[in-house]
Amino acid sequence: MSEQKPTPIEPVSGRIMPRFAGPATFCRLPELREVPRCDVAVLGIPFDSGTSYRPGARFGPQAIRQASRQLRTNFHPAYDTEPYKVMQVADAGDVGCNPFSITEAIGQIEKAAADLYERAGAIVSLGGDHTIALPLLRAVNRRVGGPVALVHFDAHLDTWDTYFGAPYTHGTPFRRAAEEQLFIDDASMHVGIRGPLYSRRDLERDRELGFKVIHCDELQSQGTERIAERIRRRVGDHALYLSIDIDVLDPSHAPGTGTPEIAGMTSRELVNILRGLRGLNLVSADIVEVAPAYDHAELTSLAAATLAYEMINLIACREESR
């Protein structure tokens, strides 16, 4: 006879405590220490020492949590799910990252994520700059017992070798991940790539690592349903890790980021693509590069909070189908 799971502790109700008050956790969820078990942990990673242009993503986790207060999260009509009834979701706080040593910070993030997987089935991470994806991929590989399908939403490839001789930056995580064989090369892709590159060889080198690329311009001719279907076919039944750089969105939708590029996705396009991935085996995810000092009216932070909630719902759909 299977053991009965305890009833999940849900977020503080906006009908009891106004949403602008109460806990400062993501979506006003309980803290990890307050729950006996955890299906999904929301983890803040306030690290931005790998940025190449505008710093400030270290303040991303707290800004995303603040923006998440206004979300109504009990029921998601697009998925027809009540994620916080299906799963226990909790806020696991922030990783203590050394802001003066990228190498040490990467080790701290990897250990924190690996330790958290002892208590949580999946992690949705709030960055922080994109450097954090490398240690998170290392940890999720250990969690699932091997490489994962990686779907990377971004304006940039992030597969460059070094920057000013530094091997670990927010522009290099997926080159290092390829070298460590952390993702399945025939099941992984970039989505939303646009803008100029350093060299005409950049895309060739990226293909050599195994990535397929969906350029942002393809949304105009193909639409979100077709893009989602291409991702689904590429990923198949593999365990999936989603990594979303908020600069995949156009600066009109997400101005608060370190390296904005014009002609990006709308928030509606990105949300609809994510909803088209329902049923895939999403095992963990991150949302990175929110730099609130450059934001206006919480546009970027709200977009990131909503995307994190979308990913929680995708995991809830996976749980419901089991």
Side-chain angles (χ1 to χ4, degrees), residues 2 6 94 103 120 126 158 182 195 249:
S2 61
D94 290 345
T103 303
L126 313 177
D158 290 357
L182 300 179
L249 296 178

Side-chain angles (χ1 to χ4, degrees), residues 11-316:
V12 173
S13 171
R15 295 183 175 181
I16 296 174
M17 174 71 72
R19 282 177 288 155
F20 52 77
T25 56
F26 181 80
C27 290
R28 308 198 307 170
L29 285 160
E31 295 182 25
L32 184 64
R33 62 186 176 182
E34 298 174 326
V35 300
R37 64 176 185 87
C38 186
D39 298 299
V40 180
V42 179
L43 180 65
I45 308 179
F47 172 85
D48 68 358
S49 298
T51 53
S52 58
Y53 193 57
R54 302 193 303 201
R58 66 182 62 184
F59 300 108
Q62 68 181 28
I64 296 169
R65 288 185 175 109
Q66 174 62 27
S68 75
R69 287 177 175 274
Q70 65 180 296
L71 300 180
R72 292 181 179 87
T73 58
N74 299 82
F75 170 66
H76 200 312
Y79 298 100
D80 190 28
T81 190
E82 296 174 288
Y84 302 137
K85 291 185 183 296
V86 174
M87 310 181 298
Q88 179 63 70
V89 187
D91 193 316
D94 290 345
V95 178
C97 306
N98 186 337
F100 303 107
S101 171
I102 294 177
T103 303
E104 183 176 348
I106 286 173
Q108 291 167 327
I109 295 164
E110 181 181 353
K111 183 179 187 305
D115 290 347
L116 186 53
Y117 279 123
E118 297 296 320
R119 292 200 58 188
I123 300 174
V124 174
S125 299
L126 313 177
D129 76 49
H130 225 151
T131 312
I132 72 172
L134 176 63
L136 292 173
L137 281 168
R138 289 173 178 171
V140 80
N141 268 237
R142 290 205 296 275
R143 170 68 176 175
V144 304
V148 293
L150 168 63
V151 175
H152 166 222
F153 290 85
D154 203 323
H156 312 96
L157 297 170
D158 290 357
T159 52
W160 288 282
D161 189 18
T162 63
Y163 193 66
F164 283 86
Y168 300 108
T169 76
H170 72 164
T172 67
F174 302 122
R175 170 62 66 95
R176 303 286 88 84
E179 292 167 350
E180 297 179 24
Q181 298 181 317
L182 300 179
F183 62 85
I184 303 166
D185 57 8
D186 62 356
S188 298
M189 64 198 317
H190 308 293
V191 185
I193 303 301
R194 61 188 186 276
L197 299 169
Y198 290 109
S199 162
R200 65 177 67 246
R201 275 278 291 144
D202 286 348
L203 288 170
E204 294 173 19
R205 294 188 183 101
D206 189 78
R207 281 194 294 271
E208 290 166 3
L209 301 178
F211 283 107
K212 292 288 186 183
V213 176
I214 296 178
H215 293 273
C216 203
D217 291 348
E218 295 180 64
L219 274 161
Q220 180 120 4
S221 59
Q222 298 187 23
T224 57
E225 289 186 15
R226 169 68 174 150
I227 298 299
E229 181 56 33
R230 288 173 63 184
I231 296 170
R232 296 181 68 89
R233 287 205 313 268
R234 180 80 171 162
V235 171
D237 295 328
H238 295 294
L240 169 63
Y241 186 91
L242 283 178
S243 186
I244 301 180
D245 186 325
I246 201 66
D247 73 22
V248 74
L249 296 178
D250 189 84
S252 62
H253 292 254
T257 190
T259 48
E261 299 278 357
I262 69 163
M265 286 187 191
T266 67
S267 55
R268 180 184 294 171
E269 287 171 335
L270 181 50
V271 164
N272 284 339
I273 292 171
L274 290 179
R275 291 175 183 173
L277 305 184
R278 177 175 181 165
L280 294 183
N281 184 21
L282 179 61
V283 293
S284 281
D286 65 57
I287 177 79
V288 300
E289 299 286 352
V290 173
Y294 313 105
D295 206 3
H296 302 288
E298 292 188 314
L299 287 176
T300 313
S301 301
L302 178 60
T306 305
L307 293 168
Y309 177 59
E310 291 287 325
M311 293 188 286
I312 289 170
N313 275 275
L314 285 172
I315 297 171

